[in-house]
Amino acid sequence: MPRPTGIRNDEPASVDSLDRAKMARALASAVRVCGTPLVVGVYGSWGTGKTSLMRLVEQDLVQDPDYYTVWFDSWQHQFDDNPAIGLLHTMVTQLGLGDDEEAQLLLTSVAGAFTDLTQWVQPVVDTSAQLDQLRKRFLEERFAAREQQILLRQHLTKLLSKATKGGAIRLTFFIDDLDRCLPEYILKTLEALKLFLNLPDCVFVLGVDRDALESTIRTRYGDEGISEHYLDKIVQVPFALPPITRSAADRFVRSLLPADLADLTEHIVAGLDANPRGLKRFVNSFILNNELAKQIFDGRPYDPEVLAYLLIVQYRWPAFYKEIADSRQALVANGPDKTVNKINDISVAKLAELVRRDGAALDGYIYLSEVVSVRRIAFDLVVTEVGEFRIQLIRVLREQLGLSLKDAKDLVEASVPITIATALSREKADGLLAKVRASGSSAEIV
């Protein structure tokens, strides 16, 4: 039975529709020949397709009998006491070792060693004891902790050796959604990779938003210089996911739209950011709006192109959209201070042309866009004019974005408009906007 709307869920794509198969093959080849242990970081902001790319790499590797893969969704395990135990338990389950008695015993031993190690390294506090007794107890505690570390390493080595059949198989762990987790869990996971899981025949691929991850590290350590070095000591191969091309975005959107709306592909791609998840969410809302329109207009003239233009305005300029919803005259207002005269966009121009011909032309479309809105959830901040005192803006960029002095100066000295932050929540974008304007510079959220 054909799908009536073509609305898609938000699950990662299993088929490459963004021209990323070549990237996936390159990463898979690197995993096959690299020295181990190794950590690869696939960096990208919200909705850029990190998970989908990692799934493509996984598909490439599973075709080879000499390579096993383990998929670990960090977000589902963030309340575990120890991320290493959760990761190893997932490995045992996904590799079919759940019924292997030796594997179960080794996993239990690893969990026990982690627990004992945590207990042993608690600080020694006993103010009633004599100084020599404290000294003796401290040495005993340190020795016991060292014993547990040795045992843990032994258990881990045996368990991984069993999983890799004594080194005949290479294991690749895909760790997804780490940047969505609680800060404490993120740091524990990174530390586990560095301290405990850096074992032969293991490759770890992290799909993360590097900015979000570094923000978590800065929050913990308070030094903007630590975050970059901290992460680079753990991740040996950084891979920044590039933006999708215009042609790839066209194909992607066209694949999402039903046949009767496919001709609007170029309008949608031109009006939105080239973010795969953002494009998919927009298309879903547009398709549902279109289905509602067929019922609401009920034989009256209806043009899906007009609806698409209005939804694009709602997505890109939510404040201006509210002006239009309150009064269609916002589209044809005179004067350079009016919002419409500050926006050079085909969607706005087309809507303005309609309203000039008929002031009520958008009424039914406004109703639709209010019912199934396309509220934006990720925003960019653009500096449109650098103020007289550049040092103030540089200070804001360093304090709010954690940039080095050189990076902040380079940004401020670039030609405007300058995009200083991307994929922000509305709250963070508003906060940063206020600080930039307080520094004497002009900026806007796009």
Side-chain angles (χ1 to χ4, degrees):
M1 182 177 180
R3 290 187 299 269
T5 62
I7 290 176
R8 310 298 174 88
N9 61 32
D10 202 30
E11 292 301 305
S14 57
V15 177
D16 177 36
S17 55
L18 298 173
D19 288 344
R20 285 177 170 166
K22 293 180 180 178
M23 298 178 200
R25 287 196 295 270
L27 282 172
S29 296
V31 167
R32 286 187 173 96
V33 301
C34 69
T36 61
L38 189 80
V39 179
V40 179
V42 176
Y43 296 139
S45 57
W46 173 90
T48 51
K50 300 183 295 295
T51 301
S52 295
L53 177 65
M54 290 163 63
R55 285 295 189 188
L56 290 174
V57 176
E58 181 189 35
Q59 288 175 18
D60 192 303
L61 290 174
V62 295
Q63 298 176 29
D64 194 324
D66 293 332
Y67 298 87
Y68 288 166
T69 65
V70 176
W71 191 275
F72 185 70
D73 191 332
S74 302
W75 194 53
Q76 295 181 6
H77 293 268
Q78 64 175 320
F79 297 109
D80 293 352
D81 291 333
N82 191 297
I85 296 175
L87 184 65
L88 293 170
H89 186 272
T90 301
M91 177 196 74
V92 168
T93 301
Q94 292 187 11
L95 296 186
L97 298 175
D99 296 329
D100 188 304
E101 185 175 347
E102 184 182 2
Q104 290 180 348
L105 288 173
L106 286 169
L107 185 59
T108 301
S109 299
V110 168
F114 267 119
T115 301
D116 290 342
L117 182 58
T118 302
Q119 292 174 348
W120 284 119
V121 298
Q122 297 297 318
V124 180
V125 179
D126 187 356
T127 55
S128 63
Q130 298 295 323
L131 181 61
D132 58 339
Q133 292 176 322
L134 279 176
R135 185 182 297 110
K136 180 180 178 182
R137 183 178 172 185
F138 175 81
L139 292 174
E140 290 174 348
E141 298 280 5
R142 295 307 95 191
F143 181 78
R146 180 60 179 165
E147 278 191 325
Q148 290 302 321
Q149 287 177 331
I150 294 172
L151 284 174
L152 176 59
R153 189 75 179 184
Q154 290 175 350
H155 296 323
L156 283 171
T157 300
K158 288 181 180 178
L159 181 59
L160 268 300
S161 177
K162 185 168 187 62
T164 62
K165 299 182 179 180
I169 299 294
R170 175 165 292 192
L171 271 177
T172 303
F173 294 85
F174 293 91
I175 301 178
D176 195 24
D177 281 340
L178 184 60
D179 45 19
R180 295 176 62 191
C181 297
L182 297 171
E184 190 65 25
Y185 184 86
I186 292 173
L187 294 173
K188 281 184 178 180
T189 301
L190 294 175
E191 289 163 3
L193 293 178
K194 183 66 176 176
L195 299 175
F196 304 117
L197 300 175
N198 56 331
L199 297 167
D201 305 308
C202 293
V203 178
F204 300 90
V205 181
L206 304 178
V208 294
D209 181 335
R210 177 164 186 155
D211 292 338
L213 211 56
E214 290 185 342
S215 176
T216 296
I217 297 168
R218 281 197 300 273
T219 300
R220 161 62 73 86
Y221 295 104
D223 182 345
E224 64 188 39
I226 287 179
S227 60
E228 182 178 351
H229 299 304
Y230 182 100
L231 197 55
D232 286 343
K233 285 184 178 179
I234 295 171
V235 177
Q236 291 84 45
V237 181
F239 179 83
L241 203 57
I244 62 174
T245 63
R246 174 62 182 270
S247 59
D250 282 346
R251 286 194 298 275
F252 179 63
V253 170
R254 190 175 295 275
S255 72
L256 299 174
L257 289 170
D260 60 327
L261 298 177
D263 289 344
L264 299 176
T265 295
E266 291 186 9
H267 296 309
I268 293 173
V269 173
L272 303 182
D273 301 320
N275 180 290
R277 185 174 294 167
L279 289 170
K280 185 188 292 185
R281 288 168 64 91
F282 181 92
V283 168
N284 281 343
S285 295
F286 176 46
I287 291 173
L288 183 52
N289 267 298
N290 182 65
E291 293 298 315
L292 287 171
K294 295 174 184 178
Q295 305 298 321
I296 293 171
F297 279 78
D298 192 25
R300 290 179 291 138
Y302 159 65
D303 186 352
E305 186 173 332
V306 175
L307 178 60
Y309 285 138
L310 185 61
L311 293 176
I312 288 169
V313 172
Q314 185 186 43
Y315 181 87
R316 294 197 64 183
W317 300 283
F320 182 48
Y321 168 83
K322 290 180 180 178
E323 292 182 31
I324 299 172
D326 291 338
S327 172
R328 314 299 179 263
Q329 294 305 304
L331 281 162
V332 293
N334 294 319
D337 59 326
K338 301 301 182 182
T339 305
V340 68
N341 294 313
K342 300 176 183 177
I343 301 176
N344 181 21
D345 184 85
I346 186 63
S347 300
V348 175
K350 290 287 187 180
L351 295 177
E353 182 181 338
L354 284 173
V355 171
R356 287 191 186 96
R357 294 203 303 260
D358 179 2
L362 298 182
D363 288 357
Y365 300 94
I366 291 287
Y367 172 79
L368 283 168
S369 60
E370 287 292 309
V371 172
V372 185
S373 64
V374 288
R375 308 298 183 191
R376 195 172 180 181
I377 60 175
F379 300 85
D380 299 344
L381 190 68
V382 176
V383 172
T384 55
E385 182 179 353
V386 177
E388 179 180 359
F389 300 103
R390 296 190 170 199
I391 188 64
Q392 299 296 334
L393 179 58
I394 291 173
R395 182 176 292 115
V396 168
L397 298 184
R398 296 195 67 196
E399 292 175 352
Q400 299 300 313
L401 304 179
L403 299 179
S404 66
L405 177 60
K406 180 182 183 304
D407 289 342
K409 286 179 64 178
D410 288 346
L411 261 184
V412 171
E413 291 171 1
S415 301
V416 293
I418 308 166
T419 301
I420 61 172
T422 60
L424 300 173
S425 67
R426 185 72 203 199
E427 181 182 2
K428 289 185 177 180
D430 286 337
L432 184 55
L433 176 65
K435 292 183 182 298
V436 169
R437 288 177 173 173
S439 74
S441 294
S442 300
E444 61 183 25
I445 297 172
V446 298

